[in-house]
Amino acid sequence: MFDDLRYRWELRKYLKQYRATSRAFEDMADDDLENTTDEPRYKWTMGRELQWQDFAISVFRSKYLVEQAYQYHVPVPQDEDSWEQGARTDEKYLTPAAAQKLRADIRAEQKADWDYWATRITLALALLGSILGVFNFFRK
């Protein structure tokens, strides 16, 4: 439970920073491509930063999903179509389709686990209520 909250909080920080950078990128004036001086290209640099942030978010989400898959004994896709290689890095991340399928498999396992414990807890509470009812009946 706390791992999920920690993940969502960290993802929220990533996405907040991404939205701010995206807004700044949209508000920037276009670079002067005809200028041959050594003037920096700010919009191009900001676009590269957005690509890097998008990559970092994808890697973060993929690592979390793989961790959850190992926890619930769900097979992680190993085929090349399920993973994308990051530009200028050796890290890989799940494609959106593979992440969606893995997330669905994890949720199915979580539901099965929850159903297992929910029936056990219901049974235990029913037994406890029955015992207390019998004791209350014989007390009078």
Side-chain angles (χ1 to χ4, degrees), residues 55-66:
F55 170 74
I57 290 170
S58 297
V59 168
F60 179 71
R61 285 178 169 167
S62 295
K63 284 181 181 179
Y64 179 74
L65 282 175
V66 168

Side-chain angles (χ1 to χ4, degrees), residues 2-30:
F2 292 113
D3 290 336
D4 189 44
L5 290 174
R6 202 172 307 125
Y7 163 74
R8 289 182 184 275
W9 186 259
E10 189 70 26
L11 182 62
R12 183 174 177 258
K13 288 193 294 188
Y14 272 120
L15 292 175
K16 183 177 179 183
Q17 184 179 4
Y18 183 80
R19 278 192 303 271
T21 307
S22 179
R23 276 192 228 112
F25 177 75
E26 290 171 3
D27 293 341
M28 288 181 99
D30 289 336

Side-chain angles (χ1 to χ4, degrees), residues 112-126:
D113 191 40
W114 173 257
D115 289 344
Y116 173 81
W117 287 108
T119 56
R120 300 313 187 265
I121 290 172
T122 303
L123 177 64
L125 290 175

Side-chain angles (χ1 to χ4, degrees), residues 25 42-52:
F25 177 75
Y42 295 113
K43 186 151 186 163
W44 181 82
T45 306
M46 186 70 78
R48 294 289 300 263
E49 177 64 25
L50 275 173
Q51 289 175 347
W52 177 255

Side-chain angles (χ1 to χ4, degrees), residues 130-140:
S130 300
I131 292 170
L132 289 176
V134 168
F135 283 149
N136 195 20
F137 178 75
F138 286 119
R139 260 175 100 189
K140 289 184 179 184

Side-chain angles (χ1 to χ4, degrees), residues 76-85 92-95 98:
V76 177
Q78 298 296 331
D79 59 330
E80 290 296 321
D81 295 335
S82 298
W83 295 90
E84 289 183 8
Q85 180 78 30
K92 292 184 177 182
Y93 58 93
L94 286 168
T95 61

Side-chain angles (χ1 to χ4, degrees), residues 30-37 41 43-44:
D30 289 336
D31 291 330
D32 185 15
L33 299 178
E34 296 175 5
N35 190 359
T36 58
T37 62
R41 296 173 27 197
K43 186 151 186 163
W44 181 82

